[in-house]
Amino acid sequence: MPMEVDRRQFLQLAGANAAALALGPIGAAAPGTSEKAGQTQTDIELFDVQCGFGGMTPVDPKVVSVEELVTEMARLRIGAALVHTATEDHENDAPAANEAINAACKSNPSLVRCPIVMPGNCGDLRNEKEQVAAHVKQGCGAVIVRPSVDYWTTARWACDALFGALQERRVPVYCREGLVSLDQVGDLAGRYPSLPLIITKRHYRMLRMLLPLMKTFPNVYLAIGSDYTAHRGIEHFVATVGAKRLLFGTGFPEAESMSAVTQLMYAEISDEQKRLIGAGNLKRLIAEIKR
Amino acid sequence: MSELLDYGRAGRTLALTDIIDMHAHFGNWSWHIPDTTAAGLVAVMDRVGVRSMLCSHMQCMGADCARGNREVLAVMRAFPGRILGYLIVWPWSEAAVKAEVARCLDAGFVGAKLHDLSGFPYTHPSYTPVYEAANDRRLPILFHTFGQDHQFAQVGEIARRYPDATILVAHLRTMNEAAYYRIAREHPNVFVDTVGSGAARGLVERAVAAIGADKIVWGSDAYCYGLPQQIGKVLGAKISDEDKVKILSGNAQRILARRAR
């Protein structure tokens, strides 16, 4: 149980000068110490939909190992994670990245594969059905598409076979900002209505786009990791599209994972809704993959 | 082990820690913000356990500063002690700025927020009444900075000229991170705030290592950003709870306690 920090201890910790503080009243008393209505009493299970390892993180010279990811998950009591190589847009060798993901997940049962897929119409990759079948067999929980990095288009003539195969097996598709535009997400969501599309790294200024997109397409899900930091943004989306449409994610290793944790845990929603967002929704989507 | 991390992980109110948010806003802006009420801000503060929030109006990025100050004053009066005001000014006339500063300080504002989206440098002469008042009364001035060298050059000049004012440089971020640390080291009256949407991993730890926890204050940028997300980077940082308390509250309390009466 966390220790209660009383006011005197707190001031000592802060190194504050009591006399000086007495000269600087800041008004009303501190908020009450009682538990707030609806406040979480127990740990909420967390399943991170938006995290990675290895590769490169801009401005950080250190390559983040799988062990560091797993250690950070343990520190914050994040039970499982859907993983890709970091960052999603800086990986130039998709087959090698997928091998690294496979290796990481084989040795860490808390990690779930999120490999890169792309149209196989140039002869250098297996055809789409085979790619999807292989990833499903290996236990993927979703796949990443990166048309802007891998130089393909989401026009039907270029990728219908890929998205058709993914829809057939109901494999969730991870669509990150900068890799797949919201216009493309909307187009794909309409064309493949049984295909779950997870949008990630959408920031706090985009609500005028995100909300109608999610209202229009029930197969679109929003990850609340970095940079989704809208004021009361979780509450707003829960009220308008429902808690089943949001997924907990952190943005590790670019972002500080704890920011996403507190964003969810302090949201003014029920514990049941936190459980859905924290892990339940992603577990359900993964369970619905036709293996 | 961090007890404060455990509080955040459980979503428990950080009771009795007198947390002060040194960077927040009130007022409408261009993108959609789900709840723009002061009551909504205070509700979030209560859930997290934030005692007070220093707010400037969103018009700090616009020109209708007098309206902005009136609106902030109204919420200061609606939530005394919970929402404290940073005054804002549009630097079109030194005399007009001087009058607005006097009006706001008489009304109970506790500091100033300046933003260079106006296009005016922080060294513009029309800002002089803000700096003189802050220096005379030992008030905090929150400067918008976003990693640009010219911003630090200007703010450093103000910090040097007005040593009794407390200078807060906003948005510690990975872009030009060293510049934040340099200005904080060079000037005893300069503090760095932690506000940033992306919550870059390890930034708080690096800042503590570079300049010490005594030179860092926490802010949320609510309601541009969500306060619960912004506090996570401090609660989860791999630093001591003692340092977290300094960043979340102790330093802010000392800054506010310096104010002349």
Side-chain angles (χ1 to χ4, degrees), chain B residues 91-103:
Chain B
W92 68 281
S93 143
E94 189 170 335
V97 167
K98 189 170 187 175
E100 185 67 3
V101 168
R103 186 183 74 81

Side-chain angles (χ1 to χ4, degrees), chain A residues 3-253:
Chain A
M3 181 188 73
E4 291 287 341
V5 181
D6 73 17
R7 182 177 174 81
R8 185 175 301 167
Q9 283 177 304
F10 162 73
L11 292 174
Q12 287 169 347
L13 276 171
N17 178 305
L21 288 172
L23 294 172
I26 53 174
T33 60
S34 59
E35 300 290 352
K36 299 294 181 289
Q39 195 167 48
T40 302
Q41 300 299 310
T42 57
D43 254 12
I44 298 288
E45 182 184 0
L46 298 176
F47 190 157
D48 187 350
V49 73
Q50 187 189 343
C51 73
F53 65 88
M56 57 180 276
T57 305
V59 308
D60 189 346
K62 193 166 174 298
V63 173
V64 176
S65 68
V66 179
E67 288 68 31
E68 284 172 284
L69 165 63
V70 172
T71 301
E72 182 67 356
M73 288 168 60
R75 190 174 76 94
L76 304 183
R77 302 195 294 282
I78 295 172
L82 183 74
V83 291
H84 51 72
T85 51
T87 61
E88 302 94 318
D89 52 349
H90 280 95
E91 178 57 65
N92 293 312
D93 187 341
N98 291 346
E99 281 307 309
I101 293 166
N102 281 339
C105 295
K106 271 182 191 165
S107 53
N108 293 280
S110 60
L111 304 183
V112 179
R113 294 163 175 79
C114 187
I116 301 164
V117 295
M118 65 186 90
N121 44 23
C122 289
D124 57 336
L125 300 168
R126 284 181 287 183
N127 74 45
E128 293 85 347
K129 277 204 168 192
E130 289 174 0
Q131 280 187 58
V132 173
H135 291 313
V136 168
K137 188 177 177 186
Q138 287 170 323
C140 77
V143 294
I144 296 187
V145 292
R146 314 182 306 165
S148 66
V149 169
D150 296 318
Y151 290 89
W152 50 280
T153 167
T154 54
R156 188 185 293 274
W157 49 263
C159 62
D160 195 43
L162 175 63
F163 287 105
L166 291 167
Q167 177 172 247
E168 193 178 313
R169 287 180 174 266
R170 297 181 70 96
V171 178
V173 178
Y174 181 103
C175 303
R176 203 202 85 165
E177 177 274 336
L179 304 179
V180 190
S181 72
L182 290 182
D183 286 346
Q184 288 175 307
V185 171
D187 183 43
L188 292 169
R191 279 160 46 192
Y192 307 98
S194 306
L195 179 65
L197 299 169
I198 300 168
I199 49 180
T200 70
K201 205 171 168 57
R202 300 294 172 176
H203 67 65
Y204 59 98
R205 300 185 185 195
M206 303 184 80
L207 273 57
R208 294 191 204 282
M209 291 172 264
L210 294 172
L211 202 55
L213 176 69
M214 294 183 69
K215 280 182 175 173
T216 305
F217 301 108
N219 52 330
V220 174
Y221 298 80
L222 174 66
I224 60 164
S226 176
D227 295 347
Y228 184 77
T229 173
H231 169 65
R232 294 174 80 85
I234 291 178
E235 292 90 331
H236 189 50
F237 273 68
V238 166
T240 50
V241 298
K244 290 186 175 178
R245 305 285 297 287
L246 301 181
L247 303 171
F248 170 76
T250 62
F252 183 93

Side-chain angles (χ1 to χ4, degrees), chain A residues 254-266:
Chain A
E254 293 173 87
E256 190 64 59
S257 299
M258 188 63 177
S259 291
V261 174
T262 49
Q263 179 172 235
L264 174 61
M265 297 311 301
Y266 285 117

Side-chain angles (χ1 to χ4, degrees), chain B residues 179-203:
Chain B
Y180 288 87
Y181 304 148
R182 192 160 49 243
I183 194 171
R185 285 193 200 104
E186 286 174 357
H187 303 280
N189 55 335
V190 171
F191 293 74
V192 169
D193 97 13
T194 59
V195 169
S197 64
R201 183 173 61 92
L203 199 53

Side-chain angles (χ1 to χ4, degrees), chain A residues 7 24-31, chain B residues 14 17-24 41-42 44-46 48-55 76 79-86 110 218-220 222 227 231 247-249 252-253 256 259:
Chain A
R7 182 177 174 81
I26 53 174
Chain B
L14 298 157
T17 52
D18 289 342
I19 294 166
I20 300 175
D21 182 344
M22 292 296 282
H23 184 158
L41 276 175
V42 172
V44 173
M45 293 164 68
D46 283 347
V48 176
V50 174
R51 174 174 173 168
S52 300
M53 167 183 277
L54 273 71
C55 267
M76 288 163 59
F79 297 96
R82 304 301 304 281
I83 294 183
L84 312 178
Y86 281 128
V110 300
W218 173 71
S220 70
L227 185 154
I231 204 162
I247 293 167
L248 293 172
S249 173
Q253 295 227 35
L256 293 175
R259 288 176 293 147

